Amino acid sequence: MSREERRAYQRMTKKQDPYALPGGAAARARQERQRAKRPPPPPATTVGGFGVRFLLVALGGGAFTGLLAFSLAWPTMPLAAYVGVGVAAAWIVAAFGVRLLGRRAAAGR
């Protein structure tokens, strides 16, 4: 590009934003064609309708809290086992209850 052409180009584009996205119908059509070419996203990994991460948090948190409650109630052995299992079950029920309430609230919107 010669100096004269470069100056003419700079005069022509003086008031334009150099970072602006291309607009217009042609750009939108090109974006739609590119979007149609992309493969669909992979399906979310679920187990029974619940995400794997949620299940890990619910069951892992239940195991951890159950073990913690078991160790705190340790001296009285049969009672300690019952306390540990009860706290673990309460944690898991609470986690699933919160998840189901969240789904119900999202469905109501």
Side-chain angles (χ1 to χ4, degrees):
M1 180 182 291
S2 70
R3 182 181 299 164
E4 183 180 340
E5 289 171 336
R6 187 172 57 246
R7 286 183 181 159
Y9 179 76
Q10 288 174 348
R11 276 194 308 274
M12 191 171 61
T13 60
K14 182 168 41 174
K15 301 282 185 179
Q16 294 180 0
D17 183 10
Y19 301 108
L21 295 174
R28 279 192 296 274
R30 185 176 66 248
Q31 288 174 347
E32 289 299 324
R33 283 193 306 272
Q34 289 175 346
R35 191 173 294 126
K37 287 181 185 178
R38 289 188 206 138
T45 306
T46 61
V47 177
F50 295 101
V52 172
R53 186 174 61 181
F54 168 74
L55 290 174
L56 287 175
V57 169
L59 299 177
F64 177 76
T65 56
L67 184 62
L68 183 66
F70 175 76
S71 65
L72 290 176
W74 172 252
T76 57
M77 183 43 211
L79 180 65
Y82 300 143
V83 167
V85 170
V87 168
W91 174 278
I92 293 170
V93 167
F96 278 90
V98 167
R99 173 58 66 104
L100 292 175
L101 284 177
R103 284 187 178 181
R104 176 178 269 184
R109 290 184 197 169

XYZ file of all heavy atoms in Angstrom:
815
model
N 0.864 -1.170 0.000
C 0.000 0.000 0.000
C 0.909 1.230 0.000
O 1.802 1.352 0.825
C -0.893 -0.047 1.246
C -1.828 1.113 1.359
S -2.859 1.114 2.850
C -3.938 -0.224 2.591
N 0.632 2.109 -0.904
C 1.456 3.316 -0.989
C 1.069 4.293 0.109
O 0.045 4.138 0.786
C 1.291 3.966 -2.363
O -0.010 4.520 -2.458
N 1.917 5.294 0.294
C 1.649 6.304 1.319
C 0.342 7.018 1.033
O -0.458 7.281 1.931
C 2.822 7.287 1.350
C 2.660 8.348 2.416
C 3.802 9.316 2.436
N 5.040 8.607 2.712
C 6.255 9.104 2.509
N 6.395 10.302 2.012
N 7.320 8.405 2.795
N 0.091 7.317 -0.233
C -1.143 8.020 -0.597
C -2.370 7.162 -0.309
O -3.368 7.636 0.228
C -1.082 8.387 -2.084
C -2.283 9.179 -2.555
C -2.169 9.507 -4.033
O -1.060 9.477 -4.583
O -3.222 9.774 -4.630
N -2.287 5.870 -0.630
C -3.416 4.967 -0.357
C -3.633 4.805 1.149
O -4.770 4.761 1.617
C -3.139 3.606 -0.984
C -3.206 3.601 -2.496
C -2.724 2.304 -3.081
O -1.930 1.597 -2.418
O -3.157 1.979 -4.189
N -2.543 4.716 1.894
C -2.670 4.570 3.345
C -3.324 5.797 3.959
O -4.195 5.692 4.822
C -1.300 4.312 3.976
C -1.394 3.988 5.452
C -0.081 3.534 6.052
N 0.985 4.485 5.876
C 2.084 4.289 5.138
N 2.259 3.153 4.511
N 3.010 5.210 5.025
N -2.934 7.002 3.504
C -3.552 8.230 4.033
C -5.018 8.320 3.647
O -5.853 8.744 4.450
C -2.780 9.450 3.534
C -1.463 9.605 4.232
C -0.756 10.838 3.784
N 0.535 10.948 4.455
C 1.545 11.662 4.014
N 1.424 12.352 2.890
N 2.670 11.721 4.684
N -5.352 7.905 2.454
C -6.756 7.911 2.036
C -7.559 6.922 2.890
O -8.683 7.224 3.311
C -6.861 7.553 0.559
N -6.976 5.788 3.155
C -7.654 4.803 3.996
C -7.836 5.328 5.409
O -8.894 5.146 6.024
C -6.851 3.501 3.998
C -7.461 2.420 4.859
C -8.569 1.716 4.426
C -6.934 2.131 6.108
C -9.136 0.737 5.206
C -7.492 1.146 6.900
C -8.592 0.455 6.444
O -9.152 -0.506 7.223
N -6.833 6.000 5.955
C -6.952 6.557 7.300
C -8.001 7.658 7.360
O -8.738 7.768 8.337
C -5.600 7.085 7.769
C -4.612 5.985 8.107
C -3.231 6.510 8.430
O -2.924 7.684 8.194
N -2.382 5.627 8.951
N -8.082 8.485 6.307
C -9.136 9.507 6.277
C -10.509 8.860 6.226
O -11.459 9.318 6.855
C -8.942 10.417 5.057
C -7.971 11.532 5.254
C -8.084 12.582 4.153
N -8.008 12.040 2.800
C -6.885 11.813 2.120
N -5.726 12.097 2.672
N -6.927 11.343 0.911
N -10.610 7.777 5.488
C -11.892 7.113 5.315
C -12.349 6.433 6.618
O -13.540 6.381 6.917
C -11.759 6.065 4.203
C -13.054 5.483 3.732
S -12.843 4.466 2.265
C -11.751 3.207 2.856
N -11.423 5.927 7.395
C -11.777 5.193 8.606
C -11.476 5.971 9.881
O -11.373 5.386 10.956
C -11.011 3.864 8.644
O -9.618 4.144 8.643
C -11.372 2.988 7.466
N -11.383 7.272 9.781
C -10.968 8.087 10.920
C -11.932 8.005 12.093
O -11.521 7.892 13.237
C -10.811 9.538 10.455
C -10.337 10.465 11.543
C -9.892 11.827 11.054
C -10.788 12.392 9.995
N -10.429 13.765 9.635
N -13.213 8.044 11.864
C -14.204 8.081 12.948
C -14.737 6.702 13.334
O -15.677 6.597 14.106
C -15.385 8.953 12.538
C -15.040 10.368 12.208
C -14.828 11.160 13.447
C -14.592 12.615 13.066
N -14.394 13.452 14.191
N -14.150 5.644 12.828
C -14.676 4.310 13.104
C -13.916 3.670 14.257
O -12.738 3.915 14.458
C -14.552 3.431 11.863
C -15.428 3.900 10.721
C -15.280 3.016 9.503
O -14.521 2.065 9.524
N -16.009 3.337 8.454
N -14.646 2.824 14.986
C -14.039 2.083 16.083
C -13.280 0.887 15.511
O -13.874 0.026 14.864
C -15.136 1.598 17.040
C -14.585 0.874 18.257
O -13.357 0.912 18.455
O -15.391 0.287 18.996
N -11.967 0.807 15.745
C -11.216 -0.300 15.147
C -11.540 -1.656 15.778
O -11.236 -2.693 15.203
C -9.758 0.082 15.405
C -9.800 0.988 16.580
C -11.110 1.710 16.504
N -12.158 -1.658 16.955
C -12.473 -2.908 17.649
C -13.928 -3.323 17.511
O -14.353 -4.290 18.125
C -12.116 -2.793 19.125
C -10.657 -2.473 19.338
C -10.258 -1.225 19.779
C -9.679 -3.421 19.074
C -8.921 -0.922 19.961
C -8.340 -3.130 19.249
C -7.970 -1.888 19.691
O -6.651 -1.603 19.863
N -14.688 -2.577 16.727
C -16.106 -2.900 16.560
C -16.258 -4.193 15.757
O -15.478 -4.485 14.855
C -16.818 -1.759 15.842
N -17.262 -4.976 16.135
C -17.538 -6.212 15.423
C -18.219 -5.897 14.103
O -18.954 -4.915 13.996
C -18.434 -7.115 16.265
C -17.823 -7.611 17.561
C -18.854 -8.365 18.360
C -16.629 -8.493 17.271
N -17.990 -6.712 13.089
C -18.663 -6.459 11.815
C -20.166 -6.643 11.976
O -20.629 -7.566 12.627
C -18.067 -7.498 10.873
C -17.527 -8.555 11.756
C -17.137 -7.879 13.034
N -20.914 -5.746 11.391
C -22.364 -5.796 11.520
C -23.012 -6.036 10.171
O -22.348 -6.195 9.150
N -24.309 -6.075 10.187
C -25.032 -6.241 8.942
C -25.555 -7.644 8.773
O -25.231 -8.569 9.504
N -26.375 -7.791 7.741
C -27.032 -9.068 7.493
C -26.036 -10.136 7.041
O -26.171 -11.310 7.397
C -28.122 -8.888 6.444
N -25.038 -9.735 6.276
C -24.069 -10.715 5.782
C -23.268 -11.323 6.936
O -23.019 -12.537 6.959
C -23.125 -10.062 4.780
N -22.874 -10.491 7.889
C -22.109 -10.997 9.034
C -22.972 -11.930 9.882
O -22.494 -12.972 10.343
C -21.595 -9.840 9.876
N -24.231 -11.556 10.087
C -25.122 -12.424 10.867
C -25.355 -13.752 10.152
O -25.371 -14.815 10.771
C -26.445 -11.718 11.130
C -26.375 -10.737 12.284
C -27.750 -10.284 12.696
N -28.438 -9.546 11.647
C -28.317 -8.240 11.441
N -27.544 -7.523 12.221
N -28.972 -7.642 10.468
N -25.515 -13.697 8.836
C -25.720 -14.939 8.084
C -24.475 -15.821 8.161
O -24.581 -17.044 8.304
C -26.046 -14.617 6.631
N -23.293 -15.212 8.085
C -22.059 -15.979 8.185
C -21.937 -16.612 9.568
O -21.556 -17.771 9.707
C -20.854 -15.075 7.905
C -19.550 -15.832 7.863
C -18.372 -14.966 7.494
N -18.110 -13.969 8.522
C -18.275 -12.663 8.387
N -18.699 -12.155 7.257
N -18.012 -11.832 9.380
N -22.292 -15.863 10.602
C -22.249 -16.415 11.966
C -23.222 -17.581 12.105
O -22.905 -18.589 12.749
C -22.570 -15.333 12.991
C -21.466 -14.324 13.168
C -21.881 -13.183 14.086
O -23.058 -13.018 14.406
N -20.911 -12.382 14.487
N -24.396 -17.467 11.520
C -25.373 -18.561 11.589
C -24.871 -19.804 10.849
O -25.055 -20.921 11.320
C -26.721 -18.120 11.015
C -27.461 -17.128 11.878
C -27.801 -17.681 13.239
O -28.119 -18.888 13.340
O -27.715 -16.922 14.211
N -24.230 -19.600 9.691
C -23.681 -20.746 8.967
C -22.576 -21.419 9.775
O -22.502 -22.649 9.842
C -23.139 -20.293 7.607
C -24.206 -20.040 6.571
C -23.620 -19.902 5.181
N -22.563 -18.905 5.083
C -22.728 -17.613 4.828
N -23.957 -17.156 4.625
N -21.715 -16.789 4.744
N -21.718 -20.618 10.402
C -20.652 -21.194 11.215
C -21.225 -21.931 12.418
O -20.730 -22.984 12.814
C -19.679 -20.100 11.676
C -18.819 -19.559 10.568
C -17.964 -18.394 11.020
O -18.184 -17.826 12.082
N -16.995 -18.044 10.193
N -22.255 -21.384 13.039
C -22.889 -22.026 14.181
C -23.542 -23.339 13.770
O -23.523 -24.319 14.506
C -23.925 -21.082 14.786
C -24.445 -21.545 16.134
C -25.339 -20.507 16.792
N -24.578 -19.320 17.143
C -24.903 -18.080 16.763
N -25.972 -17.866 16.032
N -24.164 -17.059 17.119
N -24.114 -23.380 12.557
C -24.749 -24.607 12.075
C -23.708 -25.684 11.774
O -24.005 -26.878 11.884
C -25.571 -24.309 10.830
N -22.491 -25.294 11.404
C -21.435 -26.256 11.098
C -20.883 -26.920 12.349
O -20.369 -28.033 12.283
C -20.278 -25.568 10.370
C -20.567 -25.206 8.942
C -19.349 -24.547 8.328
C -19.624 -24.047 6.931
N -18.440 -23.374 6.371
N -20.954 -26.233 13.491
C -20.380 -26.774 14.719
C -21.136 -28.019 15.159
O -22.354 -28.084 15.063
C -20.465 -25.748 15.849
C -19.532 -24.598 15.682
C -19.551 -23.738 16.927
N -19.175 -22.385 16.566
C -19.749 -21.293 17.014
N -20.749 -21.380 17.859
N -19.342 -20.113 16.622
N -20.419 -28.986 15.698
C -21.125 -30.161 16.223
C -21.881 -29.780 17.500
O -21.477 -28.861 18.218
C -19.998 -31.151 16.532
C -18.794 -30.302 16.737
C -18.981 -29.104 15.832
N -22.980 -30.463 17.785
C -23.726 -30.143 19.006
C -22.883 -30.463 20.240
O -22.032 -31.353 20.202
C -24.961 -31.033 18.927
C -24.559 -32.137 18.016
C -23.573 -31.558 17.045
N -23.092 -29.743 21.327
C -22.305 -30.016 22.535
C -22.617 -31.406 23.071
O -23.738 -31.909 22.901
C -22.769 -28.933 23.519
C -24.094 -28.503 23.024
C -24.065 -28.677 21.536
N -21.647 -32.028 23.700
C -21.903 -33.377 24.228
C -22.940 -33.319 25.343
O -23.024 -32.331 26.079
C -20.537 -33.815 24.767
C -19.812 -32.548 25.031
C -20.310 -31.561 24.019
N -23.741 -34.362 25.475
C -24.756 -34.352 26.544
C -24.086 -34.380 27.916
O -23.010 -34.948 28.087
C -25.557 -35.629 26.290
C -24.639 -36.504 25.523
C -23.767 -35.587 24.703
N -24.736 -33.748 28.863
C -24.196 -33.706 30.219
C -24.208 -35.106 30.821
O -25.153 -35.875 30.636
C -25.025 -32.766 31.082
N -23.148 -35.414 31.533
C -23.061 -36.719 32.178
C -23.969 -36.721 33.398
O -23.788 -35.920 34.308
C -21.616 -37.005 32.597
O -20.783 -36.853 31.458
C -21.472 -38.392 33.140
N -24.955 -37.598 33.391
C -25.898 -37.666 34.505
C -26.080 -39.103 34.952
O -25.879 -40.038 34.192
C -27.269 -37.097 34.115
O -27.791 -37.868 33.047
C -27.186 -35.645 33.691
N -26.469 -39.235 36.193
C -26.826 -40.526 36.755
C -28.192 -40.346 37.385
O -28.340 -39.668 38.399
C -25.798 -40.987 37.810
C -26.234 -42.295 38.440
C -24.425 -41.110 37.201
N -29.188 -40.900 36.761
C -30.542 -40.774 37.287
C -31.058 -39.346 37.262
O -31.881 -38.960 38.092
N -30.583 -38.539 36.331
C -31.036 -37.158 36.241
C -30.243 -36.192 37.094
O -30.479 -34.995 37.053
N -29.306 -36.678 37.874
C -28.462 -35.828 38.698
C -27.058 -35.826 38.128
O -26.563 -36.853 37.657
C -28.420 -36.323 40.147
C -29.743 -36.238 40.846
C -30.531 -37.351 41.005
C -30.197 -35.029 41.341
C -31.743 -37.281 41.644
C -31.420 -34.951 41.972
C -32.196 -36.071 42.127
N -26.385 -34.680 38.200
C -25.029 -34.590 37.703
C -24.060 -35.383 38.567
O -24.292 -35.607 39.757
N -22.977 -35.801 37.946
C -21.977 -36.590 38.661
C -21.348 -35.760 39.779
O -21.106 -36.258 40.881
C -20.908 -37.105 37.672
C -19.761 -37.770 38.398
C -21.539 -38.060 36.689
N -21.098 -34.484 39.507
C -20.498 -33.624 40.538
C -21.428 -33.495 41.742
O -20.981 -33.546 42.886
C -20.181 -32.256 39.945
C -19.437 -31.359 40.914
C -19.005 -30.087 40.276
N -20.163 -29.339 39.809
C -20.084 -28.176 39.190
N -18.925 -27.664 38.914
N -21.170 -27.545 38.809
N -22.725 -33.335 41.490
C -23.669 -33.248 42.600
C -23.664 -34.529 43.421
O -23.680 -34.502 44.651
C -25.086 -32.967 42.082
C -26.137 -33.161 43.133
C -26.288 -32.240 44.155
C -26.940 -34.282 43.115
C -27.240 -32.436 45.140
C -27.895 -34.475 44.094
C -28.042 -33.550 45.103
N -23.662 -35.680 42.732
C -23.661 -36.944 43.455
C -22.393 -37.116 44.286
O -22.443 -37.617 45.416
C -23.821 -38.112 42.489
C -25.208 -38.238 41.844
C -25.205 -39.343 40.807
C -26.260 -38.485 42.893
N -21.255 -36.693 43.742
C -20.013 -36.777 44.510
C -20.066 -35.898 45.753
O -19.628 -36.302 46.831
C -18.823 -36.399 43.635
C -18.414 -37.423 42.582
C -17.302 -36.861 41.705
C -17.986 -38.708 43.230
N -20.607 -34.684 45.600
C -20.700 -33.789 46.750
C -21.690 -34.330 47.771
O -21.422 -34.329 48.981
C -21.098 -32.367 46.303
C -21.452 -31.489 47.488
C -19.968 -31.735 45.515
N -22.829 -34.812 47.319
C -23.849 -35.305 48.246
C -23.371 -36.542 48.987
O -23.437 -36.613 50.226
C -25.145 -35.600 47.484
N -22.872 -37.527 48.251
C -22.459 -38.771 48.901
C -21.134 -38.613 49.644
O -20.972 -39.153 50.745
C -22.364 -39.886 47.862
C -23.678 -40.208 47.135
C -23.451 -41.266 46.072
C -24.747 -40.624 48.108
N -20.203 -37.889 49.060
C -18.928 -37.650 49.747
C -19.096 -36.797 50.989
O -18.488 -37.061 52.035
N -19.948 -35.781 50.900
C -20.224 -34.953 52.079
C -20.941 -35.749 53.154
O -20.675 -35.576 54.346
N -21.850 -36.627 52.728
C -22.525 -37.487 53.703
C -21.558 -38.418 54.398
O -21.620 -38.610 55.619
N -20.642 -38.999 53.634
C -19.648 -39.891 54.249
C -18.748 -39.119 55.212
O -18.446 -39.597 56.317
C -18.815 -40.558 53.160
N -18.332 -37.931 54.819
C -17.457 -37.136 55.685
C -18.163 -36.714 56.968
O -17.619 -36.862 58.070
C -16.950 -35.900 54.937
C -16.115 -34.997 55.778
C -14.811 -35.341 56.083
C -16.631 -33.811 56.287
C -14.030 -34.508 56.868
C -15.865 -32.986 57.071
C -14.555 -33.333 57.374
N -19.387 -36.187 56.854
C -20.102 -35.756 58.059
C -20.472 -36.946 58.937
O -20.459 -36.841 60.166
C -21.368 -34.957 57.698
O -22.183 -35.742 56.841
C -21.017 -33.645 57.042
N -20.797 -38.082 58.316
C -21.088 -39.278 59.104
C -19.868 -39.753 59.874
O -19.959 -40.112 61.055
N -18.706 -39.746 59.232
C -17.474 -40.135 59.908
C -17.119 -39.153 61.014
O -16.666 -39.552 62.099
C -16.329 -40.222 58.893
C -14.994 -40.708 59.421
C -15.132 -42.134 59.945
C -13.944 -40.640 58.337
N -17.345 -37.868 60.774
C -17.069 -36.853 61.796
C -17.988 -37.052 63.009
O -17.533 -37.024 64.157
C -17.249 -35.456 61.212
C -16.934 -34.286 62.126
C -15.440 -34.276 62.445
C -17.337 -32.991 61.466
N -19.279 -37.263 62.752
C -20.213 -37.494 63.856
C -19.881 -38.791 64.587
O -19.966 -38.860 65.821
C -21.646 -37.531 63.327
N -19.489 -39.818 63.857
C -19.094 -41.086 64.460
C -17.890 -40.896 65.375
O -17.847 -41.414 66.491
C -18.782 -42.094 63.353
C -18.241 -43.393 63.843
C -19.084 -44.327 64.419
C -16.892 -43.688 63.729
C -18.584 -45.540 64.878
C -16.387 -44.893 64.179
C -17.234 -45.824 64.757
N -16.909 -40.122 64.906
C -15.706 -39.941 65.723
C -15.980 -39.067 66.946
O -15.344 -39.249 67.993
C -14.592 -39.323 64.883
O -14.939 -38.020 64.484
N -16.920 -38.141 66.851
C -17.243 -37.309 68.009
C -18.026 -38.089 69.065
O -17.921 -37.816 70.255
C -18.043 -36.075 67.575
C -17.259 -35.030 66.780
C -18.178 -33.914 66.326
C -16.106 -34.483 67.606
N -18.829 -39.062 68.630
C -19.630 -39.851 69.564
C -18.964 -41.195 69.859
O -19.632 -42.134 70.281
C -21.026 -40.064 68.984
N -17.665 -41.297 69.675
C -16.959 -42.567 69.722
C -17.056 -43.341 71.033
O -17.272 -44.542 70.996
C -15.485 -42.353 69.366
C -14.676 -43.572 69.588
C -13.764 -43.784 70.565
C -14.727 -44.781 68.836
N -13.223 -45.028 70.463
C -13.808 -45.671 69.400
C -15.470 -45.197 67.749
C -13.600 -46.946 68.916
C -15.259 -46.470 67.255
C -14.332 -47.331 67.845
N -16.905 -42.755 72.196
C -16.788 -43.603 73.393
C -17.946 -44.576 73.594
O -17.744 -45.672 74.101
C -16.709 -42.618 74.539
C -16.207 -41.367 73.935
C -16.734 -41.359 72.537
N -19.130 -44.222 73.218
C -20.257 -45.155 73.372
C -20.498 -45.816 72.014
O -21.152 -45.250 71.144
C -21.510 -44.396 73.832
O -21.796 -43.364 72.902
C -21.295 -43.783 75.200
N -19.976 -47.002 71.859
C -19.880 -47.596 70.533
C -21.197 -47.825 69.803
O -21.349 -47.334 68.710
C -19.066 -48.882 70.600
C -18.855 -49.547 69.247
S -18.435 -48.367 67.979
C -19.137 -49.133 66.574
N -22.184 -48.518 70.297
C -23.344 -48.715 69.420
C -24.029 -47.400 69.085
O -24.482 -47.191 67.969
C -24.271 -49.638 70.197
C -23.652 -49.888 71.510
C -22.337 -49.202 71.556
N -24.051 -46.492 70.036
C -24.670 -45.187 69.791
C -23.874 -44.400 68.760
O -24.452 -43.693 67.925
C -24.774 -44.404 71.104
C -25.393 -43.017 70.984
C -26.849 -43.136 70.563
C -25.264 -42.261 72.282
N -22.552 -44.498 68.777
C -21.713 -43.756 67.830
C -22.005 -44.188 66.395
O -22.070 -43.352 65.481
C -20.242 -43.971 68.161
N -22.198 -45.468 66.175
C -22.510 -45.944 64.827
C -23.862 -45.420 64.363
O -24.012 -44.996 63.212
C -22.497 -47.465 64.800
N -24.838 -45.426 65.270
C -26.160 -44.916 64.913
C -26.107 -43.420 64.608
O -26.750 -42.944 63.662
C -27.164 -45.174 66.030
C -27.340 -46.645 66.357
C -27.535 -47.053 67.663
C -27.305 -47.613 65.361
C -27.693 -48.392 67.976
C -27.459 -48.951 65.667
C -27.655 -49.340 66.971
O -27.806 -50.659 67.270
N -25.350 -42.673 65.397
C -25.220 -41.227 65.174
C -24.551 -40.967 63.824
O -24.984 -40.112 63.048
C -24.432 -40.568 66.333
C -24.026 -39.149 65.969
C -25.253 -40.586 67.599
N -23.486 -41.711 63.521
C -22.786 -41.519 62.251
C -23.671 -41.814 61.055
O -23.726 -41.033 60.100
N -24.384 -42.915 61.098
C -25.271 -43.267 59.988
C -26.413 -42.252 59.880
O -26.804 -41.847 58.779
C -25.815 -44.705 60.169
C -26.926 -45.006 59.182
C -24.682 -45.704 60.025
N -26.940 -41.829 61.009
C -28.044 -40.855 60.988
C -27.616 -39.511 60.418
O -28.334 -38.909 59.612
N -26.451 -39.032 60.810
C -25.971 -37.741 60.295
C -25.663 -37.846 58.804
O -25.977 -36.932 58.033
C -24.751 -37.256 61.102
C -24.069 -36.092 60.425
C -25.174 -36.874 62.509
N -25.066 -38.963 58.378
C -24.788 -39.148 56.953
C -26.087 -39.179 56.149
O -26.194 -38.547 55.092
C -23.999 -40.436 56.743
N -27.079 -39.892 56.644
C -28.364 -39.950 55.949
C -29.039 -38.579 55.915
O -29.620 -38.189 54.893
C -29.273 -40.970 56.623
N -28.946 -37.844 57.023
C -29.539 -36.502 57.055
C -28.868 -35.586 56.036
O -29.531 -34.791 55.355
C -29.430 -35.919 58.465
N -27.547 -35.678 55.912
C -26.811 -34.856 54.941
C -27.272 -35.188 53.513
O -27.536 -34.279 52.716
C -25.314 -35.105 55.073
C -24.514 -34.414 54.014
C -24.293 -34.836 52.748
C -23.861 -33.155 54.138
N -23.522 -33.936 52.080
C -23.248 -32.883 52.902
C -23.724 -32.248 55.176
C -22.504 -31.737 52.677
C -22.984 -31.103 54.942
C -22.392 -30.850 53.719
N -27.383 -36.456 53.207
C -27.756 -36.863 51.855
C -29.193 -36.455 51.543
O -29.488 -35.943 50.464
C -27.536 -38.383 51.681
C -26.032 -38.675 51.743
C -28.131 -38.882 50.385
C -25.688 -40.141 51.835
N -30.095 -36.653 52.505
C -31.496 -36.244 52.305
C -31.589 -34.737 52.130
O -32.329 -34.243 51.269
C -32.375 -36.740 53.476
C -33.735 -36.071 53.463
C -32.513 -38.250 53.415
N -30.827 -33.984 52.920
C -30.846 -32.523 52.793
C -30.302 -32.084 51.436
O -30.857 -31.172 50.800
C -30.035 -31.896 53.923
N -29.234 -32.725 50.960
C -28.666 -32.354 49.665
C -29.667 -32.606 48.538
O -29.874 -31.746 47.674
C -27.375 -33.141 49.416
N -30.315 -33.768 48.547
C -31.301 -34.068 47.513
C -32.530 -33.171 47.649
O -33.123 -32.769 46.651
C -31.693 -35.544 47.552
C -30.723 -36.421 46.833
C -29.647 -36.981 47.500
C -30.865 -36.681 45.484
C -28.741 -37.791 46.843
C -29.959 -37.485 44.810
C -28.890 -38.047 45.495
N -32.917 -32.850 48.874
C -34.059 -31.953 49.074
C -33.789 -30.561 48.533
O -34.641 -29.964 47.867
N -32.592 -30.049 48.786
C -32.246 -28.716 48.272
C -32.209 -28.739 46.746
O -32.675 -27.812 46.087
C -30.898 -28.248 48.862
C -30.366 -27.038 48.137
C -31.054 -27.951 50.340
N -31.678 -29.809 46.165
C -31.620 -29.912 44.706
C -33.020 -29.960 44.112
O -33.318 -29.292 43.123
C -30.827 -31.154 44.311
C -30.827 -31.488 42.831
C -30.301 -30.379 41.930
N -28.914 -30.108 42.119
C -27.951 -30.491 41.308
N -28.246 -31.180 40.242
N -26.710 -30.175 41.566
N -33.912 -30.741 44.704
C -35.271 -30.848 44.168
C -36.045 -29.558 44.347
O -36.819 -29.167 43.474
C -36.004 -32.012 44.812
C -35.455 -33.399 44.445
C -36.176 -34.485 45.218
C -35.565 -33.634 42.960
N -35.828 -28.861 45.466
C -36.495 -27.549 45.638
C -35.987 -26.538 44.619
O -36.757 -25.718 44.105
C -36.250 -27.039 47.065
C -37.075 -27.696 48.167
C -36.664 -27.137 49.530
C -38.556 -27.470 47.921
N -34.689 -26.582 44.332
C -34.146 -25.684 43.309
C -34.718 -25.963 41.941
O -35.024 -25.038 41.187
N -34.887 -27.239 41.615
C -35.494 -27.578 40.314
C -36.938 -27.141 40.248
O -37.409 -26.653 39.230
C -35.411 -29.085 40.076
C -34.051 -29.546 39.687
C -34.090 -30.999 39.320
N -32.788 -31.453 38.885
C -32.529 -32.677 38.487
N -33.481 -33.580 38.507
N -31.331 -33.017 38.099
N -37.645 -27.310 41.354
C -39.065 -26.913 41.375
C -39.191 -25.392 41.227
O -40.057 -24.901 40.505
C -39.717 -27.374 42.665
C -41.157 -26.911 42.784
C -41.763 -27.440 44.042
N -42.383 -28.720 43.718
C -43.071 -29.423 44.581
N -43.183 -29.025 45.823
N -43.630 -30.549 44.215
N -38.305 -24.658 41.890
C -38.350 -23.199 41.776
C -37.985 -22.749 40.366
O -38.574 -21.800 39.838
C -37.392 -22.571 42.792
N -37.025 -23.424 39.727
C -36.640 -23.056 38.372
C -37.737 -23.396 37.378
O -37.945 -22.684 36.394
C -35.357 -23.770 37.981
N -38.455 -24.481 37.609
C -39.540 -24.867 36.717
C -40.720 -23.915 36.832
O -41.468 -23.735 35.888
C -39.991 -26.292 37.009
N -40.890 -23.292 37.979
C -42.005 -22.378 38.186
C -41.815 -21.025 37.519
O -42.747 -20.258 37.372
N -40.607 -20.731 37.087
C -40.357 -19.410 36.465
C -40.797 -19.371 35.054
O -40.883 -20.173 34.294
C -38.866 -19.082 36.527
C -38.423 -18.805 37.920
C -36.986 -18.400 37.938
N -36.493 -18.540 39.310
C -35.244 -18.459 39.640
N -34.335 -18.219 38.746
N -34.870 -18.602 40.879
